[in-house]
Amino acid sequence: MNQGMPGMHGMHGMPGQQPGFPMQPIVCPTQYRYNDCFTQQEFPVIHPIVNVNRHHVVGVPQHYYTESTQDVMGNTFMPGMGPASQGPGGYGHGHGHGCGHGHGCGRRRRCGR
C-alpha cells in the first residue's frame, strides 16, 4: 500500500507518527543520471607527401668505326688469262683486275651515316 511520502499532511497511521504533527521529510543527496550522446566533429590530419623525380643515367653504346685503305699485291695474271677464265671457283667477276668484290677502287663505305 503506497501512502506517499511520510510526514506529509493528511498522512496518519504511520508507526511513530503522532496525529496532527507532520514529520519533516528527509532530503537525500542529489543523484545524477547521465544520458551520454556523442556527436562527430571532423578535425584535420595532414599527411605530407614529397614527390621525388629521380634521374638515372643508363649507358647506351654508340658505335663509331674508323676506316683505312691498304694496297697489297695480289695474283699476277697473264694476257688472255683474266680472272674470269679461272674456271670453277674462280677469283673474279669478269671485269679484269679489280679492287675487291664490286666495291670499286678508292671508294669508301660509310657505316650508318
Side-chain angles (χ1 to χ4, degrees):
M1 165 163 114
N2 188 357
Q3 295 183 2
M5 196 167 180
M8 300 301 287
H9 294 289
M11 301 308 251
H12 299 286
M14 298 291 278
Q17 183 177 3
Q18 302 207 1
F21 294 99
M23 289 185 67
Q24 292 297 318
I26 298 174
V27 178
C28 295
T30 304
Q31 295 182 1
Y32 294 91
R33 186 180 301 165
Y34 291 97
N35 295 315
D36 292 331
C37 61
F38 298 90
T39 303
Q40 291 183 351
Q41 180 180 9
E42 292 183 3
F43 60 93
V45 177
I46 299 172
H47 300 269
I49 296 174
V50 176
N51 294 313
V52 177
N53 296 322
R54 299 193 302 183
H55 298 271
H56 303 278
V57 176
V58 178
V60 178
Q62 178 71 38
H63 298 277
Y64 296 95
Y65 296 93
T66 60
E67 189 174 313
S68 63
T69 302
Q70 294 180 356
D71 290 322
V72 296
M73 288 301 292
N75 292 334
T76 302
F77 296 100
M78 300 304 285
M81 301 281 298
S85 62
Q86 291 292 324
Y91 295 109
H93 43 64
H95 293 241
H97 60 18
C99 290
H101 301 310
H103 299 298
C105 287
R107 203 188 281 177
R108 289 186 171 172
R109 290 182 6 172
R110 303 224 188 256
C111 182
R113 295 196 186 222

